Amino acid sequence: MSEQEQAQQRVVIVGAGMAGVQTAVALREQGFTGPVTLIGAEPHQPYDRPPLSKAILLGKAEDSAFDVDFEELGIELRLGLDVTGLRAADHEVDTEAGPVGYDTLVVATGAHPVALPGAEGVPGVHLLRTLDDAVRLGPVLERRHTVVVVGAGWIGAEFATAAREAGCAVTVVEAAGLPLTGALPDEVAAPMAGWYAAHGAELLTHARVDTVEPGRVVLADGRSLPADAVVVGIGARPATGWLAGSGIALDPSGAVTADDRLRTSLPDVYAVGDCASFPSARYGERLLVHHWDNALQGPRTVATTIAGADPGPYDPVPYFWSEQFGRFVQYAGHHAGADELLWRGDPADEAWSVLWLRDGAPVALLAVGRPRDLAQGRRLIEAATPVDPARAADPSVPLKAAVR
């Protein structure tokens, strides 16, 4: 693409979270000179989300705005603006303030939390996804309220950790038999169940919520739990409802089905971050990754392609981390297709890892308080390097020394 063509190509990015902001920044880093407009539904300056469940919640930080000078980069911000539809034939998105035309569109609208049926509008019920959510939850922690957390996933554990740190009484209600069901195999999640009680939080498993009323949560078995506040963390769905009727291809989860360059089924439309799934040749299946690192890495592929170069297929080793109950938990890869699981260390200890292999090569790793395992394991996963299982299962052997 010539400079003159670039200068006239309007890029509109819908979604001002990590994926949207990084796409805009990466376009400028690639030397793209055309107009770039970033549309965000929230009125706040674009911000990073991980601190919401940590520093901001505990009042240790007021915000987590990205350190980006949008004006200097020539990126137009349109904040507090909902996008309501896409008309691909007209190359326009509809907004509350009227249509916005584009030459290239990037869908980066992320995901929205799943609400607890019957709990909408009940006073004291909270989600934790936005800066406003975190600000509303701050006083709950300051006043040391009695809190019920619904869902023992990553967000539920992180909020429970912050609430205990603040001195709240915390009960976590989980419908499944263990925390992180669906995210980790039972044998790996089982040791994590003990972390709750060790930090003074009560974990109720096989517990379903029947009703939420002001001041209490009633379970399906009739138990009543006092609750000054209820925090719901039962998952997230791609925020793609606004694309209804646009003709864009979605998968059953509602995610935009992007290709290996993050292009969608519509011409001149890309999708990146939590709202998009992509085909992974590495894992032989389509992945939907709801984590920060994916929203950081994917934009480079999008920006490079828009700028006219070929970045190669987008096929990352997924990565995320979680801080919970005094532990730093990291995960890299995708373990669904593994045929062997190795423990490195005793899960009763403070630090241990789990390595998943397929045909003798690592495909995923979970590290609890063992960041070196994560760093070395991630490189082995990226290169599909076979390891000796006996050495890889010895926690005193560095993973890089367990290579066959």
Side-chain angles (χ1 to χ4, degrees):
M1 186 187 311
S2 72
E3 275 194 36
Q4 192 174 359
E5 286 172 320
Q6 243 191 46
Q8 294 172 333
Q9 188 189 8
R10 300 165 300 167
V11 176
V12 172
I13 302 165
V14 181
M18 170 62 88
V21 167
Q22 290 298 329
T23 299
V25 170
L27 279 166
R28 294 303 187 223
E29 287 175 347
Q30 291 289 335
F32 181 81
T33 56
V36 176
T37 301
L38 186 62
I39 302 177
E42 293 181 58
H44 311 288
Q45 278 291 303
Y47 61 88
D48 204 5
R49 290 190 192 280
L52 296 184
S53 60
K54 306 172 185 78
I56 291 172
L57 201 55
L58 290 166
K60 295 176 181 176
E62 285 188 14
D63 66 32
S64 56
F66 290 114
D67 185 18
V68 174
D69 190 332
F70 294 100
E71 194 173 339
E72 187 181 322
L73 290 173
I75 296 164
E76 180 191 8
L77 287 183
R78 299 192 64 182
L79 303 175
L81 185 61
D82 272 321
V83 175
T84 56
L86 164 61
R87 286 176 290 107
D90 298 327
H91 271 59
E92 286 183 342
V93 291
D94 288 316
T95 79
E96 296 169 314
V100 176
Y102 67 84
D103 294 302
T104 301
L105 177 68
V106 181
V107 177
T109 40
H112 52 71
V114 176
L116 186 65
E120 296 100 325
V122 178
V125 176
H126 301 263
L127 298 167
L128 181 51
R129 183 76 187 183
T130 68
L131 180 57
D132 288 341
D133 292 339
V135 168
R136 277 191 289 267
L137 276 164
V140 170
L141 271 58
E142 282 171 28
R143 294 172 194 150
R144 298 184 177 179
H145 280 172
T146 298
V147 179
V148 170
V149 180
V150 182
W154 300 111
I155 283 287
E158 290 188 2
F159 179 80
T161 299
R164 285 299 301 137
E165 193 176 321
C168 297
V170 178
T171 302
V172 181
V173 176
E174 171 55 53
L178 286 166
L180 294 166
T181 294
L184 295 173
D186 286 356
E187 64 185 299
V188 178
M192 297 174 165
W195 297 356
Y196 288 77
H199 279 73
E202 186 175 13
L203 173 63
L204 303 179
T205 55
H206 299 294
R208 293 190 174 275
V209 174
D210 183 46
T211 57
V212 178
E213 302 164 7
R216 71 176 190 150
V217 173
V218 181
L219 301 182
D221 62 8
R223 280 180 290 178
S224 177
L225 307 175
D228 298 319
V230 178
V231 177
V232 179
I234 55 173
R237 300 254 190 285
T240 54
W242 65 281
L243 293 167
S246 68
I248 200 166
L250 305 177
D251 68 19
S253 76
V256 179
T257 50
D259 70 5
D260 63 4
R261 302 307 195 273
L262 300 179
R263 296 170 295 213
T264 75
S265 63
L266 296 177
D268 306 316
V269 181
Y270 296 76
V272 65
D274 290 8
C275 66
S277 65
F278 57 89
S280 170
R282 182 192 306 278
Y283 291 108
E285 62 181 285
R286 181 167 281 278
L287 298 183
L288 175 61
V289 180
H290 277 195
H291 293 297
W292 184 91
D293 192 64
N294 178 51
L296 175 69
Q297 305 292 346
R300 293 172 194 160
T301 293
V302 173
T304 304
T305 309
I306 291 172
D310 183 6
Y314 182 64
D315 196 2
V317 171
Y319 167 74
F320 69 91
W321 80 98
S322 175
E323 294 173 67
Q324 51 183 272
F325 305 116
R327 291 168 172 83
F328 186 45
V329 182
Q330 295 170 284
Y331 179 96
H334 180 65
H335 64 264
D339 54 32
E340 190 173 0
L341 184 155
L342 304 176
W343 288 90
R344 285 173 58 79
D346 185 340
D349 293 340
E350 285 292 305
W352 48 274
S353 297
V354 173
L355 186 68
W356 286 268
L357 307 180
R358 186 177 64 217
D359 300 329
V363 290
L365 179 116
L366 175 81
V368 177
R370 289 182 67 104
R372 190 171 294 167
D373 275 8
L374 191 288
Q376 294 181 11
R378 193 176 182 180
R379 285 194 283 272
L380 296 178
I381 294 166
E382 283 169 351
T385 307
V387 294
D388 178 289
R391 288 178 63 73
D394 183 343
S396 69
V397 175
L399 275 174
K400 64 182 181 184
V403 171
R404 274 196 191 281

